[in-house]
Amino acid sequence: MMSIQPLLSLVGARHDEGMQTLWISAHPEPRSLNGSLRTAGIRALDELGYPYQQSDLYAMGWDPTVRATDYGAEGSRLDVSNASKRAYLADTLHADIRAEQAKLDWAELVVVQFPLWWYGMPAILKGWFDRVFVKGYAYGVRDPETGAVLRYGTGGLAGKRALAVVTIGAPAEALGPRGIHGEPEEVLFPLLHGTFWYTGMTPLCPMVVPNANRVSESDFAIHAKTLRERLRTAALDEPIGYRSAAGGDYDENLVLRPGIAAGERGLVLHRS
Amino acid sequence: MMSIQPLLSLVGARHDEGMQTLWISAHPEPRSLNGSLRTAGIRALDELGYPYQQSDLYAMGWDPTVRATDYGAEGSRLDVSNASKRAYLADTLHADIRAEQAKLDWAELVVVQFPLWWYGMPAILKGWFDRVFVKGYAYGVRDPETGAVLRYGTGGLAGKRALAVVTIGAPAEALGPRGIHGEPEEVLFPLLHGTFWYTGMTPLCPMVVPNANRVSESDFAIHAKTLRERLRTAALDEPIGYRSAAGGDYDENLVLRPGIAAGERGLVLHRS
């Protein structure tokens, strides 16, 4: 801990406590690999002296489905984004959503831990983002002076760091640069770039645990140690270097300017 | 219709009826753009003479959360994939799941229609895949002779074609090859490649409706016409040309062999 104190101050953490962490997890079985990783992670936060809050979505019985009742908008034609913004501004969002936003407001580090199902988040977790990241709060936030929409590198959740911890059934080889499943950072682009970075959070490189159905006890000990290290250094780790929407690389239509990443194609274009 | 009869016979549709279509949709508001597209699509199927079934997930009150009760596995340590396979083989899956599998078994064309939320499917729809695509049915199916796992180009749902119809708030420019949001076919890789193709379905190029919050009546008429045309030609449209796992391009670890797509990188590697 001592060695990262100067950096912690840069990200707004209190020197005596470590990064304020929100741990979001999404597995139906506490005695699973994901359950064990969560336990190991929370123990590491305890040892590191990071204050934390948790959203263990299965344990909470989290409802993942966006509905008119989230916004008190029953009975009229539902426009999800505008109804959510109105309810956010009027402080009338569903209590479940306000509770999660309060945790997020407090957090400096957001850990999102899940098993990869069909190459994405389990529905219960996807619906945490669908419901909690409402307009005016996480997106559609404007610069008060210029009126510009703030996104991709700045926005409603700017200043927070985000770490995805993902178990994947496939073996490591098939998740490599030429593996059939695609590299995790590309498959997770909707979360890392389209959600974390879009809302202004700083995405760290995800921690991936491959071969999730065949993890031995000695494998697990290594993963738990890696997880502790990732948490310990989360304030100073080099993030994924996505390009900022406002950094000059994109034109007014959010298209990369000629000459930027010339000759490249695909999602890697958006890393500087 | 008449002109595509020979091709319909190739995909197993009956000559006198057109492709048997399962239309899955996921929007909370019937009077939305998505609701209107669904209505237009169903009308087109009526006109084309395609028999269809629907899974309008919000209207059905679909529960998207995977639970032990899906598999009658309450009370013991839940191993999702193996519990799902056991319940599938014993025909004891939750009735909600069996009903959706019966529709899928019948379908030759699967239409998955949704608004893009946080660069992915709404949770209610993600949870349709999470719950319905169980082991032994959609994945983890083995060749009875060789014992090889069938996936990516073959598998439990082989022979079906799949069309994603996706509304996106962003304008078309920012969804182009150098647009900040990434190209829809890359952002949707988890669905198109990791789900449709993985389970053996043939993924068609998605139909994308950009600028979803600013669609005029004349824009909508164009989209409805495009949708009808996509449905009419769904049996013969050139699919996304993903590489087959068993086609010789990948080695035994499912890594692309040297020389295949040399010099390329990223998700485009997996298109031939």
Side-chain angles (χ1 to χ4, degrees), chain A residues 1 3-4 48 50 227-236:
Chain A
M1 269 303 290
S3 63
I4 59 167
L48 292 165
Y50 288 23
L227 179 57
R228 186 185 194 284
E229 195 59 15
R230 291 299 307 271
L231 295 168
R232 190 180 73 80
T233 63
L236 46 68

Side-chain angles (χ1 to χ4, degrees), chain B residues 215-234:
Chain B
V215 171
S216 67
E217 278 192 36
S218 60
D219 292 338
F220 181 78
I222 294 167
H223 294 313
K225 193 173 172 185
T226 302
L227 178 56
R228 187 184 193 285
E229 194 60 14
R230 291 299 307 271
L231 295 167
R232 189 179 73 81
T233 63

Side-chain angles (χ1 to χ4, degrees), chain A:
Chain A
M1 269 303 290
M2 293 306 289
S3 63
I4 59 167
Q5 293 299 349
L7 276 132
L8 284 178
S9 67
L10 291 179
V11 294
R14 276 167 277 158
H15 286 208
D16 54 342
E17 291 190 342
M19 295 186 90
Q20 294 177 180
T21 301
L22 172 57
W23 193 290
I24 305 157
S25 55
H27 198 285
E29 175 54 67
R31 293 161 293 181
S32 61
L33 171 61
N34 271 269
S36 300
L37 279 172
R38 189 179 70 83
T39 303
I42 296 299
R43 184 180 307 133
L45 295 179
D46 277 328
E47 292 170 7
L48 292 165
Y50 288 23
Y52 56 85
Q53 298 189 62
Q54 293 192 60
S55 296
D56 181 348
L57 299 179
Y58 270 95
M60 292 159 65
W62 177 256
D63 177 353
T65 303
V66 166
R67 297 177 218 275
T69 45
D70 280 357
Y71 321 123
E74 304 92 309
S76 58
R77 184 181 171 285
L78 177 63
D79 172 334
V80 170
S81 57
N82 288 321
S84 75
K85 182 173 181 181
R86 271 195 303 275
Y88 171 68
L89 294 175
D91 201 22
T92 56
L93 287 167
H94 192 294
D96 289 355
I97 300 174
R98 283 185 285 135
E100 296 306 301
Q101 290 181 344
K103 295 180 195 173
L104 258 176
D105 290 341
W106 169 86
E108 294 157 334
L109 173 65
V110 179
V111 178
V112 181
Q113 189 222 331
F114 59 99
L116 197 71
W117 287 355
W118 295 109
Y119 296 91
M121 292 179 277
I124 199 171
L125 176 56
K126 177 54 166 59
W128 186 87
F129 290 98
D130 288 350
R131 292 186 67 206
V132 176
F133 278 32
V134 301
K135 185 170 184 177
Y137 176 70
Y139 75 101
V141 177
R142 290 175 184 275
D143 182 306
E145 290 187 17
T146 67
V149 175
L150 303 176
R151 55 184 165 180
Y152 289 123
T154 179
L157 303 180
K160 304 177 192 304
R161 301 195 134 211
L163 173 65
V165 177
V166 187
T167 66
I168 308 183
E173 299 86 345
L175 298 166
R178 292 170 60 80
I180 197 168
H181 308 298
E183 283 191 283
E185 279 192 32
E186 301 226 307
V187 171
L188 293 170
F189 190 79
L191 176 64
L192 302 173
H193 182 267
T195 308
F196 293 161
W197 186 236
Y198 191 103
T199 59
M201 291 197 276
T202 300
L204 302 177
C205 298
M207 174 173 159
V208 173
V209 177
N211 249 323
N213 303 317
R214 289 170 293 278
V215 171
S216 68
E217 278 192 38
S218 60
D219 292 338
F220 182 79
I222 294 168
H223 295 312
K225 193 172 171 186
T226 302
L227 179 57
R228 186 185 194 284
E229 195 59 15
R230 291 299 307 271
L231 295 168
R232 190 180 73 80
T233 63
L236 46 68
D237 278 349
E238 190 71 27
I240 302 176
Y242 291 130
R243 300 177 192 279
S244 169
D249 290 347
Y250 298 95
D251 67 18
E252 66 282 6
N253 293 319
L254 295 179
V255 176
L256 277 175
R257 294 183 194 279
I260 303 289
E264 292 273 13
R265 63 171 169 157
L267 302 178
V268 72
L269 282 171
H270 305 291
R271 299 182 60 159
S272 61

Side-chain angles (χ1 to χ4, degrees), chain B residues 118-131:
Chain B
W118 295 111
Y119 296 92
M121 291 180 277
I124 199 172
L125 177 57
K126 178 55 167 57
W128 186 86
F129 290 97
D130 289 350
R131 293 186 68 206

Side-chain angles (χ1 to χ4, degrees), chain B residues 67-127:
Chain B
R67 298 176 217 276
T69 46
D70 281 356
Y71 322 123
E74 304 91 309
S76 58
R77 182 180 173 286
L78 177 63
D79 173 333
V80 171
S81 57
N82 288 322
S84 75
K85 183 174 182 180
R86 271 195 303 275
Y88 170 67
L89 294 175
D91 201 22
T92 57
L93 286 168
H94 192 293
D96 289 355
I97 301 174
R98 282 185 286 137
E100 296 307 301
Q101 290 180 344
K103 295 180 194 173
L104 259 177
D105 290 341
W106 170 87
E108 295 157 334
L109 173 64
V110 179
V111 178
V112 181
Q113 188 220 332
F114 60 99
L116 196 72
W117 287 355
W118 295 111
Y119 296 92
M121 291 180 277
I124 199 172
L125 177 57
K126 178 55 167 57

